[in-house]
Amino acid sequence: MTVAGAQTSTVSALIPNTTARVKNSSQLGEAFPTNIGVVQGDPLSPTMFNMYAEGAMRKIDAVSSLARTQDVPSPSTQYVDDTTMHASSRSAVETMVATCEPIFKEDNLNLNLQKTVYLTASRTDASWKTVKLLGSLLDSTEDVAARIGAANRAFGSIAWKRHCLDSRLCMFSVLIVPVLLYNCGLWTLTKRQNEQLDVWQRRKLRYIFGVHYPHCISNQILYEKSKQQPISRVCKRRRLLWFGHVVREGPGTASYGALTMAIDTSKIKRPQG
């Protein structure tokens, strides 16, 4: 592209001579220059950040020999700015973290040690159950309870009686169900937990339809009128979709390696009984 008669790239055109203003309700603050990074909210921002962070991670992999010595599927996994280091011992993970910090600083990236959590997979240590990764708790029981709480808060924030029935059902499907089922493809649910989710769904649907005691409606008719499926069935389908996605990735990926480790129980010593 051409800017002011000079040939330049799209990326460089976004950085120099740009200004930003803070908006509070309808009031705008004074303009100030922002000559570092791309413009806030620009669609290129996430793509460029991913490329930048990926470059830093490749530097770490190049100088680290842990990827070749540790019995783990992958030395690290990354989702935007959330990076997870994998190793078979805590000391190895601490070494990897110590290696990352100076390399990140070279690229003006700061490692937040206050948010760094060390997780040990152990039968005797249950602290991993309350660890949150990408908005989800690692333990399915804890995460289901948290998602139900979040869905209840979202449900309570809507004035349902102001809307017609079709709008209520649409809002429930679009605004409430996604809050409940966030990351449900990774849940390992018991029969009791499946029933808990279905009961929650039916209770909310009855509220939307205005069905209260002593009036009643069967579960089958409720699902037919609302054009909904039991939440437990949706969770099962999403687990199968995620499983198929992992299998199709094939060897060499972190998720496929983790699946291989989970299937191979030859090195796992079962507890007595």
Side-chain angles (χ1 to χ4, degrees), residues 72-253:
V72 293
S74 174
S76 63
T77 53
Q78 183 182 3
Y79 185 83
V80 193
D81 61 340
D82 287 315
T83 302
T84 305
M85 304 294 177
H86 312 280
S88 57
S89 66
R90 182 186 175 97
S91 59
V93 175
E94 292 175 347
T95 301
M96 296 175 76
V97 172
T99 303
C100 290
E101 192 171 9
I103 296 177
F104 280 153
K105 286 185 177 180
E106 292 177 1
D107 293 334
N108 296 317
L109 295 173
N110 295 322
L111 182 64
N112 194 334
L113 296 176
Q114 294 181 349
K115 292 184 177 180
T116 302
V117 178
Y118 290 94
L119 168 64
T120 302
S122 172
R123 292 191 180 97
T124 58
D125 185 3
S127 60
W128 61 271
K129 293 185 177 183
T130 57
V131 173
K132 181 177 288 188
L133 182 63
L134 300 178
S136 295
L137 297 172
L138 296 184
D139 181 59
S140 294
T141 302
E142 298 286 344
D143 197 38
V144 167
R147 299 319 305 175
I148 289 178
N152 281 331
R153 292 189 292 271
F155 191 90
S157 65
I158 298 176
W160 296 97
K161 295 182 179 180
R162 297 182 180 179
H163 306 278
C164 65
L165 180 58
D166 290 340
S167 296
R168 296 177 196 175
L169 293 174
C170 182
M171 289 190 295
F172 181 75
S173 299
V174 175
L175 301 178
I176 308 302
V177 174
V179 175
L180 175 69
L181 297 184
Y182 175 75
N183 231 6
C184 70
L186 301 181
W187 287 347
T188 54
L189 301 176
T190 63
K191 182 178 179 180
R192 181 177 179 181
Q193 289 170 331
N194 280 319
E195 182 63 23
Q196 180 186 9
L197 291 168
D198 289 340
V199 168
W200 181 91
Q201 178 192 27
R202 292 194 294 266
R203 184 181 296 118
K204 299 305 181 185
L205 288 175
R206 284 187 169 90
Y207 180 89
I208 289 174
F209 276 97
V211 177
H212 305 286
Y213 182 83
H215 305 287
C216 62
I217 182 175
S218 67
N219 295 340
Q220 182 178 356
I221 296 177
L222 182 66
Y223 285 128
E224 290 176 355
K225 286 190 173 183
S226 63
K227 297 180 181 180
Q228 299 275 334
Q229 291 185 350
I231 289 293
S232 59
R233 189 180 304 173
V234 177
C235 291
K236 183 177 181 180
R237 185 170 64 250
R238 293 192 183 183
R239 284 198 302 272
L240 291 173
L241 289 173
W242 176 250
F243 177 76
H245 174 71
V246 173
V247 172
R248 286 190 298 271
E249 280 194 318
T253 60

Side-chain angles (χ1 to χ4, degrees), residues 52-67:
Y52 195 76
E54 175 66 18
M57 292 305 301
R58 290 188 180 187
K59 291 181 182 179
I60 294 171
D61 292 339
V63 301
S64 175
S65 60
L66 293 172

Side-chain angles (χ1 to χ4, degrees), residues 28-81:
L28 288 175
E30 296 181 359
F32 57 91
T34 57
N35 294 325
I36 299 177
V38 295
V39 180
Q40 180 71 23
D42 190 278
L44 274 178
S45 298
T47 301
M48 292 180 63
F49 181 83
N50 286 342
M51 295 170 59
Y52 195 76
E54 175 66 18
M57 292 305 301
R58 290 188 180 187
K59 291 181 182 179
I60 294 171
D61 292 339
V63 301
S64 175
S65 60
L66 293 172
R68 296 179 292 274
T69 59
Q70 298 298 330
D71 186 19
V72 293
S74 174
S76 63
T77 53
Q78 183 182 3
Y79 185 83
V80 193
D81 61 340

